[in-house]
Amino acid sequence: MLTRRKLALLTGAATTSALLFAAALPGSALAQTKTVVDFWHGLPQPLGGQLEQIVKDFNDSQQAVQVNASYKGSYPETMQAAIAAFRAGNAPHIVQMFEVGTATMMAAGPAVKPVYQLMQETGASFDPDAYIPAVKGYYSSKDGKMMALPFNSSTAIMFYNKDAFTKAGLDPNKAPTTWPELVDAAKKLKASGSSCPFTTSWPTWVQLEQLGAIHNTPFATQANGYGGLNAELKIDAPLYVKHVQTLIDMQKDGLFKYGGRDNKPDALFPSGECAMIQGSSSLRSRILKEATFAWGAAPLPYWPEFANNDPKNGIIGGAAFWVMTSPKRTPAEYKAVSQFFTYLAKPEVDAKWHMDTGYVPVTLKGIEIAKAQGYYEKNPGADVPAAQLTRTPTTENSMGLRLGNLPEIRNIIQEELEKAFQGQQDAKQALDASIKRGNTVLRNFERANKG
């Protein structure tokens, strides 16, 4: 028999269940008390998990906004997914874009809401000068307005095997600072039995893009593309020809090993096979896990005659967060995005991300916090990337690159370098061919994005 008491209990349970069910529905009144922000990123584990923890920390810190982070595959896959979503009218609020996609995002026009505009429209406090100049410059328009929010940045540095240096009679606490010193060190390492004195990851980014920045030499016209879509490659300058020919000659002499494209050569250093490597500063975490020898980190070397013994700042890699538009997007949603960005821009959030992941701090105060907490004392060499990025004010040649379809251009240059390393052409021929093919890519991008 159903008593009044049982009925009341059942009714109460049903009411509670209904409320719980309603709260779980995205369209419910309860769920709508928070403004939802969709955030697509391209960081795999474990970095993706660390990024999503920051998102969770933000969500837990306030009651107005719910950011939903989703991993969409590699950076190129994330970019393609975002473009497809925009065309379908349902782009995410935020997409993480790798640095070589910057020109593509800049040319996206109404698909993107620039960060400086977002912060102005929503009344959020935002100081572009809080960022490292090399980082700020990379994601700014020619007139200095920030287009995206910098987050996970890296740069290129050198790692070297201190044990191998000692065996070769070299000072294990002094890395080569110039290219002539590096060649001399490579000869001594070879003489001591090293089968691979030196290698490089990201051949185009490290050996040409970074080279140009450090020596204040144009990689392309129009301020490396910042000045317009009509940029042309300039990598036939004497600096580039001498440098690439040096690498070709070093390979012939058994002083340099070409280990492949992009980051494929990374494994050659922590395994102990190669005594020196130039690559992304983010390689540090892998070296910490895998290397069984003493090692050090140092800035990239320079050519004294081209740098006037005054090397400039390096340029960044990594990615930034871009705000995308959508026909149904509301002012409240943009306001929610700006709140999330304000949180990410906090120096303490930046410093923690830097210390947890090994990425470069993107804010000047982030560096100060890491230093004050003794991070650099406990982790020698961890300050090298930030020091290299901040050692000089940026010039139009060291601010970064703004070239359309840069990933395709990088592959073209790598193809031509490979032919040179195989003895099919010299440095000048390789670079001339890269310019001819690369400029075709740039003209195609210019035609597709004019108007």
Side-chain angles (χ1 to χ4, degrees):
M1 184 175 177
L2 191 63
T3 65
R4 287 186 180 181
R5 175 175 168 73
K6 285 181 180 179
L7 182 61
L9 286 170
L10 287 171
T11 305
T15 303
T16 302
S17 298
L19 286 169
L20 288 171
F21 181 67
L25 290 172
S28 72
L30 288 178
Q32 287 176 354
T33 57
K34 280 194 172 190
T35 303
V36 175
V37 170
D38 291 320
F39 167 39
W40 291 3
H41 71 86
L43 285 180
Q45 296 295 347
L47 291 170
Q50 290 170 299
L51 173 58
E52 289 171 10
Q53 181 59 50
I54 290 177
V55 172
K56 183 179 184 301
D57 292 343
F58 167 74
N59 288 338
D60 292 344
S61 72
Q62 43 72 51
Q63 298 298 316
V65 181
Q66 173 71 32
V67 177
N68 293 332
S70 303
Y71 173 61
K72 291 294 178 178
S74 67
Y75 283 143
E77 289 168 342
T78 302
M79 179 166 71
Q80 291 306 317
I83 291 170
F86 173 77
R87 287 173 179 162
N90 56 1
H93 299 81
I94 306 165
V95 63
Q96 182 187 35
M97 189 64 59
F98 58 163
E99 94 284 5
V100 292
T102 301
T104 301
M105 297 301 284
M106 290 279 193
V112 167
K113 182 180 281 288
V115 163
Y116 79 89
Q117 185 181 334
L118 170 83
M119 300 311 239
Q120 284 177 357
E121 289 177 357
T122 58
S125 60
F126 181 66
D127 180 14
D129 293 331
Y131 289 86
I132 292 173
V135 173
K136 173 190 170 187
Y138 204 104
Y139 295 114
S140 293
S141 59
K142 194 182 179 185
D143 56 359
K145 293 176 178 176
M146 283 187 74
M147 304 294 286
L149 187 82
F151 187 69
N152 56 309
S153 290
S154 59
T155 191
I157 63 171
M158 183 165 69
F159 298 97
Y160 66 101
N161 185 326
K162 290 189 173 186
D163 292 349
F165 267 49
T166 300
K167 183 181 176 183
L170 295 162
D171 184 347
N173 296 312
K174 188 178 184 302
T177 57
T178 68
W179 275 97
E181 287 176 6
L182 184 142
V183 173
D184 184 59
K187 289 176 180 176
K188 291 178 179 176
L189 286 161
K190 183 187 177 186
S192 70
S194 174
S195 62
C196 173
F198 169 62
T199 191
T200 185
S201 284
W202 302 102
T204 305
W205 182 52
V206 178
Q207 301 304 328
L208 291 172
E209 296 172 32
Q210 296 282 354
L211 184 82
I214 288 169
H215 294 83
N216 199 22
T217 300
F219 184 90
T221 61
Q222 293 292 337
N224 286 342
Y226 276 71
L229 296 175
N230 59 334
E232 296 182 346
L233 298 180
K234 292 279 287 181
I235 52 175
D236 57 351
L239 165 69
Y240 297 109
V241 176
K242 175 167 185 173
H243 185 70
V244 172
Q245 192 60 52
T246 297
L247 294 176
I248 294 169
D249 295 341
M250 286 180 73
Q251 189 198 41
K252 286 178 184 174
D253 295 338
L255 306 178
F256 167 69
K257 177 174 182 174
Y258 177 75
R261 301 182 185 184
D262 300 335
N263 65 344
K264 186 180 177 184
D266 278 359
L268 295 173
F269 182 75
S271 69
E273 181 177 345
C274 293
M276 295 183 287
I277 188 171
Q278 292 171 8
S280 173
S281 54
S282 63
L283 179 57
R284 178 185 180 88
S285 58
R286 180 171 181 177
I287 298 170
L288 280 168
K289 291 175 186 173
E290 299 179 13
T292 57
F293 50 83
W295 55 274
L300 294 176
Y302 61 91
W303 289 100
E305 65 268 41
F306 291 106
N308 296 317
N309 288 314
D310 180 29
K312 304 302 179 189
N313 63 281
I315 54 178
I316 64 167
F321 298 157
W322 292 80
V323 182
M324 299 198 72
T325 61
S326 179
K328 297 177 182 178
R329 196 131 295 160
T330 66
E333 289 173 75
Y334 286 122
K335 175 77 173 176
V337 172
S338 74
Q339 287 176 258
F340 180 47
F341 278 10
T342 299
Y343 179 86
L344 293 176
K346 290 181 178 181
E348 54 268 32
V349 174
D350 176 39
K352 186 176 188 303
W353 170 257
H354 158 56
M355 292 185 284
D356 286 350
T357 65
Y359 275 108
V360 177
V362 293
T363 64
L364 295 166
K365 285 187 178 178
I367 299 174
E368 292 176 12
I369 290 172
K371 192 181 296 182
Q373 293 184 8
Y375 177 71
Y376 301 127
E377 287 180 17
K378 298 170 192 170
N379 299 274
D383 58 341
V384 169
Q388 183 177 268
L389 282 172
T390 58
R391 66 186 173 192
T392 61
T394 56
T395 71
E396 70 173 26
N397 298 318
S398 71
M399 196 157 54
L401 303 179
R402 188 64 52 75
L403 301 175
N405 293 333
L406 185 54
E408 186 178 349
I409 293 171
R410 281 182 173 176
N411 281 334
I412 286 170
I413 295 172
Q414 287 177 146
E415 285 175 11
E416 297 300 337
L417 288 176
E418 287 165 357
K419 290 178 186 176
F421 291 136
Q422 292 162 6
Q424 298 177 29
Q425 56 188 357
D426 62 19
K428 183 72 164 62
Q429 291 168 325
L431 294 170
D432 285 346
S434 296
I435 289 174
K436 184 178 179 181
R437 295 175 62 196
N439 283 344
T440 298
V441 172
L442 289 173
R443 296 293 69 78
N444 290 340
F445 184 83
E446 181 182 16
R447 281 192 294 273
N449 291 282
K450 261 192 169 180

